[in-house]
Amino acid sequence: MYLNLTQIAESFGVSESIVEGWIRHEGLPHTPDRGVLLFDRAQVAQWALIHGLTAQAGFLAPETP
């Protein structure tokens, strides 16, 4: 499942510019596709785990019982 820039930003509760900074400086995995940045959910989850980040909402948030 691929997510877009807005979905990633919302999931972590940060701005899109922060996510763009993560791409440039922290190696956040992404795939450019016709001018749009796409993010593989599994790759982002692994990257976040390594960087000590937890999604707050959206597609990456931990499931609640």
Side-chain angles (χ1 to χ4, degrees):
M1 169 187 251
Y2 282 93
L3 305 174
N4 64 34
L5 180 64
T6 301
Q7 291 169 317
I8 295 295
E10 289 175 354
S11 290
F12 288 108
V14 299
S15 68
E16 291 179 12
S17 63
I18 295 292
V19 176
E20 291 167 340
W22 289 344
I23 292 168
R24 284 190 302 277
H25 305 294
E26 303 292 334
L28 177 62
H30 65 287
T31 302
D33 183 29
R34 293 174 272 187
V36 176
L37 296 175
L38 299 177
F39 302 84
D40 180 272
R41 184 186 187 284
Q43 288 180 345
V44 172
Q46 182 64 30
W47 177 89
L49 181 65
I50 291 168
H51 288 81
L53 296 172
T54 303
Q56 305 299 314
F59 290 99
L60 295 172
E63 293 183 18
T64 56

